[in-house]
Amino acid sequence: MTVARVNGVDLYYEVHGAGETLALVHGSWSDAMTWRQVVPGMADSFRVLVYDRRGHSRSERPATQGSLDEDADDLARLLEALDLAPAHVVASSLGGNIALRLAARRPDLFLSLTCHEPPLWGVLVDDPESQAMLAQGARSREAVRVRLVEGDHEGAARQFVDEIAFGPGAWDNQLPAEVKATMIRNAPTFLDEIQDPTQLTIDEDSLAGLAVPVRLTQGSESPPLFPRVIDRLEPLIPHVVRETIPGVAHVPHLTDAAVYVEATKRALEAVPRR
């Protein structure tokens, strides 16, 4: 295994290809393998970094309470330790929350940032039309938390997939067995994330000064809260492009890899070079 000691933890990582750096940041329950269908198509144009975030799979799982700020610092230190900055950063789901925080603090590490459906529910707290969906999501997250505390990792993963991230029946009908196994293995890390009170929020004022080209993507088939978040983020970010990827949902890198690779490469090739 290739491991780097950064920010007090050992992080597993892989680097593929050559060219400008493209760092892929996974979301909750997952690990670097979530990008396995994407890496070959990206590595013919970029030097691709994938890694397991702290607590996930092959990376170290500290016993202390973690935070998304630690995850952001981990990404910064990893890029620096491997001499891979500045980088295009492409992030999925909660990885987008992490990458946005880092971009606001360390724009020097970024060539561009692409976030697919970051679950920043905190930006919707004053949106009347989102309240019922937010309340349902909070109930589902609490039910998942209770399952995790009780040690029912598979039940928690199933409930998260079917009620929060994908939709009814997705656990049984959409996810490969190896993805399910990874989610069950990383279930304790999701409990850690839930217990970070800032995980679903961001300093909106920090986005106003974000000096990084940002692309916010959503799937045409995704749950409706994700585009609502992007509705609120878009006017806050100075250099932003919004894109709907047709026919995909919350994890297009898993379900529609060829479509995702084509859309991502096209967008990165259009980023102005420094």
Side-chain angles (χ1 to χ4, degrees):
M1 294 205 314
T2 49
V3 174
R5 184 75 178 174
V6 298
N7 203 25
V9 295
D10 289 334
L11 297 183
Y12 172 84
Y13 73 91
E14 301 173 9
V15 178
H16 303 268
E20 292 181 329
T21 302
L22 169 60
L24 303 175
V25 186
H26 67 79
S28 300
W29 304 85
S30 190
D31 63 19
M33 289 300 292
T34 194
W35 304 107
R36 67 193 183 284
Q37 299 181 72
V38 169
V39 168
M42 303 304 299
D44 62 5
S45 300
F46 298 94
R47 181 171 46 174
V48 181
L49 168 68
V50 294
Y51 70 106
D52 295 348
R53 293 197 289 113
R54 65 166 56 211
H56 295 77
S57 296
R58 294 152 294 189
S59 288
E60 185 178 349
R61 182 173 294 169
T64 54
Q65 171 63 42
S67 71
L68 261 63
D69 284 328
E70 284 181 333
D71 277 295
D73 289 341
D74 289 348
L75 176 56
R77 302 281 181 85
L78 186 60
L79 289 170
E80 291 174 327
L82 300 179
D83 196 23
L84 293 177
H88 298 286
V89 176
V90 172
S92 171
S93 193
L94 193 74
N97 295 17
I98 294 164
L100 277 167
R101 290 184 185 207
L102 180 59
R105 297 203 303 256
R106 293 289 310 275
D108 57 299
L109 298 176
F110 288 76
L111 295 172
S112 70
L113 171 59
T114 295
C115 297
H116 187 75
E117 299 184 345
L120 284 166
W121 310 139
V123 302
L124 299 176
V125 292
D126 60 352
D127 176 22
E129 296 182 2
S130 298
Q131 296 313 300
M133 288 183 285
L134 288 173
Q136 178 57 52
R139 288 191 291 271
S140 294
R141 287 195 302 277
E142 174 59 16
V144 169
R145 187 194 69 80
V146 170
R147 286 181 181 268
L148 291 172
V149 169
E150 293 174 346
D152 181 10
H153 294 173
E154 181 174 355
R158 175 188 291 271
Q159 187 163 10
F160 175 83
V161 167
D162 286 351
E163 293 188 10
I164 298 174
F166 297 82
W171 180 263
D172 288 327
N173 301 315
Q174 294 184 30
L175 297 188
E178 63 270 21
V179 173
K180 295 178 186 179
T182 298
M183 293 187 69
I184 293 168
R185 181 171 63 248
N186 287 323
T189 301
F190 187 70
L191 179 60
D192 186 79
E193 291 174 352
I194 285 178
Q195 293 173 159
D196 173 8
T198 72
Q199 65 147 339
L200 302 178
T201 65
I202 195 162
D203 178 358
E204 296 182 26
D205 290 339
S206 72
L207 298 180
L210 209 161
V212 171
V214 176
R215 174 171 167 259
L216 301 174
T217 63
Q218 62 193 66
S220 64
E221 310 308 308
S222 294
L225 271 182
F226 291 114
R228 287 180 181 270
V229 167
I230 295 176
D231 287 343
R232 300 301 292 265
L233 291 178
E234 187 177 10
L236 298 176
I237 300 173
H239 310 287
V240 65
V241 172
R242 180 176 186 167
E243 180 179 352
T244 298
I245 305 176
V248 310
H250 189 54
V251 286
H253 55 284
L254 285 176
T255 59
D256 303 271
V259 173
Y260 187 73
V261 167
E262 188 281 327
T264 302
K265 289 178 75 171
R266 172 177 38 80
L268 295 183
E269 288 165 359
V271 173
R273 273 26 182 193
R274 294 179 181 176

